[in-house]
């Protein structure tokens, strides 16, 4: 679990802004559900024999009322619960998105954390393949807006439950005949959830899994047609993809379309977005039967990709740094700064501060009457990245003026303006940034 500090936190704020714009363009609305839900919700939603439910959930008993609770490991279950609870599909389908922290007790490593963050989108109540394609196009659009290249889309169909049953039989027979090659986890899952074996991360089982019967060969006409239409829409929009018959995803709730966006630039943790259709989850969780489809993006992995590709924006600098040599007249100074801000100018004000590394200086003993020399204030102005220094010297203030000095034109040119008409010159400080 990580602290996120400036300047890095700015990358996240920026990313969230880009996400919001893309969501608006696709007309998805924001939803926020609690971080804690009843444990049973996730067991029921994700499936008992999944990595998450078997070993990754942070669950605890609420000591006050003995409820079993879990920090959400993903948000689809909560979104579905909210959809049912508030009857959100009353008037038809809903397009929703969320961002926020998720919790999984995994071995921490590059691209894998115990508190991580997802951006997710869910389209609930829609059955046609065009909505699967809409969601894929939305993620694709987001990569474009962020400037990310070389992200590959992998696509598969998990078919419908009856098709999965037939495939499951073939899968069990196949794995039984190669029982000596199965690891402990696979043996355990052979009769509970054999499809999950295809999702193994064990390198020594890869070739076994590659030769296994493919679900795609068990699809009926309707399931095949569904996949075909998704592909046709992607083709028409020049979104390239690879059909990957081994793609099964980590939760049990999927049917028909499943997909992942992957990159080879993050080592082994290369999936940055995963999703698919989950037409049976809403009824399985007690709602009136309704189809749905969604995806989730791993924010940490996307940020790392953006960082490696040098695509993260610089931390913003203030337009103006206010140099204030004396506390006399601070009320007047701050009134002017407020006026500047009300005109959209971003202003950082010098104020004497206590340094955490000054060893002997205890907070209580700092001499706050000393605002620091002009020289040290100019140094701070410079490192703030501001384009202008506003110098509120006692001399200027007594004449109702301020000196405006350019910090970025190389010549340090300066001018004097009157504080009685800040509105007239405020915007001249902003546009230069
Ligand atoms: P994996 O196979 O890597 O364990 P998953 O199938 O468990 O992934 P999902 O539950 O589909 O992952 O979550 C969607 C995305 O969230 C993943 O593609 C990944 O980018 C991100 N993600 C999942 N778990 C973590 C984690 N522990 N730390 C950081 N990001 C994660
Ligand atoms: Mg996982």
């Amino acid at each position: 679990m990580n602290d996120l500090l400036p300047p890095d936190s700015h990358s996240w704020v920026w990313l969230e802004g880009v996400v919001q714009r893309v969501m608006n363009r696709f007309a998805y609305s924001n939803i926020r559900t609690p971080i804690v839900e009843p444990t049973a919700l996730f067991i029921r939603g994700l499936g008992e024999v999944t990595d998450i439910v078997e070993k990754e959930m942070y669950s605890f008993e609420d000591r006050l009322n003995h409820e079993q609770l879990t920090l959400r490991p993903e948000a689809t279950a909560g979104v579905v619960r909210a959809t049912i609870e508030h009857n959100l599909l009353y008037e038809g389908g809903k397009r929703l998105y969320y961002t926020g922290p998720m919790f999984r007790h995994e071995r921490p490593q590059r691209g894998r954390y115990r508190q991580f963050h997802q951006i997710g989108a869910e389209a609930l109540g829609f059955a046609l393949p065009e909505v699967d394609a809409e969601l894929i196009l939305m993620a694709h659009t987001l990569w474009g807006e962020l400037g990310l290249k070389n992200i590959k889309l992998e696509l598969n169909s998990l078919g419908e439950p009856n098709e999965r049953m037939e495939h499951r039989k073939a899968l069990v027979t196949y794995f039984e005949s190669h029982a000596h090659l199965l690891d402990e986890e696979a043996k355990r899952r052979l009769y509970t959830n054999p499809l999950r074996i295809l999702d193994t991360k064990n390198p020594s089982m890869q070739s076994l899994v590659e030769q296994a019967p493919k679900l795609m060969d068990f699809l009926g006409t309707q399931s095949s047609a569904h996949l075909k239409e998704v592909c046709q829409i992607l083709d028409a929009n020049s979104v390239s993809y690879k059909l990957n018959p081994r793609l099964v995803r980590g939760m049990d709730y999927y049917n028909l379309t499943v997909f992942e966006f992957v990159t080879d630039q993050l080592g082994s943790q290369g999936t940055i977005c995963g999703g698919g259709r989950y037409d049976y989850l809403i009824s399985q969780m007690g709602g009136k039967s309704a189809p749905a489809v969604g995806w989730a993006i791993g924010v940490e992995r996307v940020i790392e990709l953006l960082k490696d590709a040098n695509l993260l924006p610089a931390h913003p600098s203030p337009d103006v740094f206010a140099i204030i040599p004396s506390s006399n007249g601070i009320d007047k100074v701050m009134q002017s700064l407020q006026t500047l801000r009300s005109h959209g100018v971003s202003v950082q004000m010098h104020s004497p501060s206590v340094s955490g590394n000054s060893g002997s200086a205890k907070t209580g003993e700092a001499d706050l009457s000393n605002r620091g020399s002009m020289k040290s204030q100019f140094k701070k102005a410079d490192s703030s990245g501001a384009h202008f220094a506003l110098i509120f010297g006692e001399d200027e203030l007594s004449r109702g003026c301020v000196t405006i000095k350019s910090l970025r034109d190389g010549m340090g040119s300066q001018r004097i303006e009157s504080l009685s008409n800040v509105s007239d010159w405020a915007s001249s400080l902003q546009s230069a940034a």
Side-chain angles (χ1 to χ4, degrees):
M1 299 186 185
N2 298 304
D3 294 314
L4 187 55
L5 311 173
D8 296 341
S9 52
H10 175 68
S11 305
W12 287 60
V13 172
W14 168 78
L15 173 65
E16 283 156 11
V18 176
V19 167
Q20 226 172 77
R21 281 205 303 279
V22 171
M23 293 294 172
N24 287 345
R25 252 184 264 165
F26 282 79
Y28 280 62
S29 310
N30 190 243
I31 182 168
R32 300 177 190 216
T33 60
I35 283 168
V36 180
E37 299 268 5
T39 304
L41 178 86
F42 297 113
I43 299 178
R44 206 158 157 201
L46 306 183
E48 212 140 352
V49 189
T50 53
D51 281 349
I52 293 180
V53 170
E54 280 184 335
K55 52 192 182 202
E56 296 174 358
M57 294 204 303
Y58 283 97
S59 300
F60 59 98
E61 184 185 286
D62 182 334
R63 271 188 302 160
L64 298 180
N65 59 8
H66 307 294
E67 266 187 280
Q68 291 299 319
L69 301 174
T70 294
L71 299 183
R72 65 180 186 195
E74 56 96 68
T76 302
V79 169
V80 166
R81 179 203 46 72
T83 300
I84 298 168
E85 194 171 320
H86 305 284
N87 203 8
L88 290 186
L89 301 182
Y90 182 65
E91 290 174 318
K94 274 273 181 301
R95 291 174 162 93
L96 303 171
Y97 79 94
Y98 58 80
T99 61
M102 309 295 157
F103 303 83
R104 297 184 193 176
H105 193 109
E106 304 194 65
R107 194 167 66 79
Q109 52 194 288
R110 185 182 179 200
R112 207 178 273 293
Y113 310 97
R114 290 181 173 175
Q115 174 174 335
F116 63 101
H117 297 77
Q118 288 185 336
I119 298 161
E122 319 278 1
L124 303 128
F126 300 99
L128 294 180
E130 63 203 35
V131 180
D132 312 23
E134 173 182 279
L135 274 158
I136 293 172
L137 288 172
M138 190 160 75
H140 175 84
T141 304
L142 184 59
W143 313 140
E145 292 291 308
L146 294 171
L148 287 173
K149 299 198 174 69
N150 300 323
I151 293 177
K152 300 201 171 63
L153 170 61
E154 300 197 355
L155 203 58
N156 190 19
S157 174
L158 296 184
E160 296 291 9
N162 58 327
E163 294 153 1
R164 262 199 349 230
M165 281 302 272
E166 289 308 307
H167 172 248
R168 182 192 160 116
K169 278 185 213 155
L171 210 54
V172 171
T173 310
Y174 170 79
F175 283 131
E176 275 174 343
S177 66
H178 297 85
H180 60 290
L181 295 173
L182 298 178
D183 64 13
E184 284 312 308
E185 187 179 71
K187 278 185 190 140
R188 201 159 39 79
R189 290 176 167 182
L190 180 55
Y191 299 106
T192 50
N193 200 343
L195 194 64
R196 189 83 310 119
I197 300 176
L198 300 180
D199 195 32
T200 180
K201 308 251 173 352
N202 183 348
S204 71
M205 281 181 49
Q206 292 308 313
S207 75
L208 176 70
V209 155
E210 237 145 81
Q211 319 275 323
K214 297 182 172 50
L215 219 165
M216 229 178 248
D217 297 331
F218 291 77
L219 297 184
T221 1
Q222 279 201 342
S223 296
S224 300
H226 189 102
L227 179 63
K228 196 168 159 211
E229 184 159 345
V230 174
C231 292
Q232 279 170 346
I233 297 170
L234 296 179
D235 290 337
N237 285 282
S238 308
V239 176
S240 51
Y241 53 88
K242 192 181 96 187
L243 291 176
N244 175 0
R246 286 188 41 222
L247 182 66
V248 296
R249 311 274 308 115
M251 298 78 150
D252 280 354
Y253 50 59
Y254 291 108
N255 69 304
L256 292 175
T257 318
V258 288
F259 54 88
E260 287 186 352
F261 285 93
V262 297
T263 164
D264 51 20
Q265 288 157 51
L266 291 176
S268 53
Q269 261 49 266
T271 305
I272 57 169
C273 173
R277 188 160 270 289
Y278 52 93
D279 293 335
Y280 303 97
L281 184 61
I282 298 177
S283 62
Q284 189 186 312
M285 291 186 29
K288 191 161 157 275
S289 174
V293 50
W295 52 240
I297 290 173
V299 179
E300 281 80 0
R301 294 181 195 181
V302 171
I303 293 275
E304 197 181 338
L305 265 187
L306 289 163
K307 193 171 178 187
D308 289 350
N310 233 341
L311 290 167
L312 291 174
H315 195 277
S317 305
D319 297 320
V320 161
F321 188 98
I323 290 178
I324 309 167
S326 157
S327 296
N328 297 332
I330 188 74
D331 46 356
K332 184 83 188 111
V333 170
M334 289 187 70
Q335 192 191 359
S336 303
L337 299 186
Q338 279 297 85
T339 310
L340 284 172
R341 292 180 180 123
S342 74
H343 284 80
V345 180
S346 87
V347 179
Q348 182 176 340
M349 170 182 88
H350 167 76
S351 186
S353 58
V354 179
S355 155
N357 72 9
S358 53
S360 63
K362 289 193 213 100
T363 315
E365 292 170 359
D367 178 9
L368 296 177
S369 64
N370 178 5
R371 301 189 65 91
S373 66
M374 287 292 270
K375 193 174 160 209
S376 78
Q377 291 198 36
F378 262 114
K379 242 170 117 178
K380 283 185 180 141
D382 214 42
S383 61
S384 77
H387 282 249
F388 297 97
L390 264 53
I391 305 151
F392 292 91
E394 287 191 81
D395 182 37
E396 281 98 335
L397 282 177
S398 68
R399 292 185 291 135
C401 295
V402 62
T403 299
I404 302 174
K405 185 178 161 79
S406 172
L407 297 172
R408 297 282 172 265
D409 71 354
M411 298 174 291
S413 59
Q414 57 183 59
R415 65 183 205 263
I416 292 180
E417 294 283 3
S418 159
L419 292 178
S420 59
N421 60 349
V422 172
S423 311
D424 295 347
W425 47 268
S427 61
S428 71
L429 303 182
Q430 196 190 4
S431 47

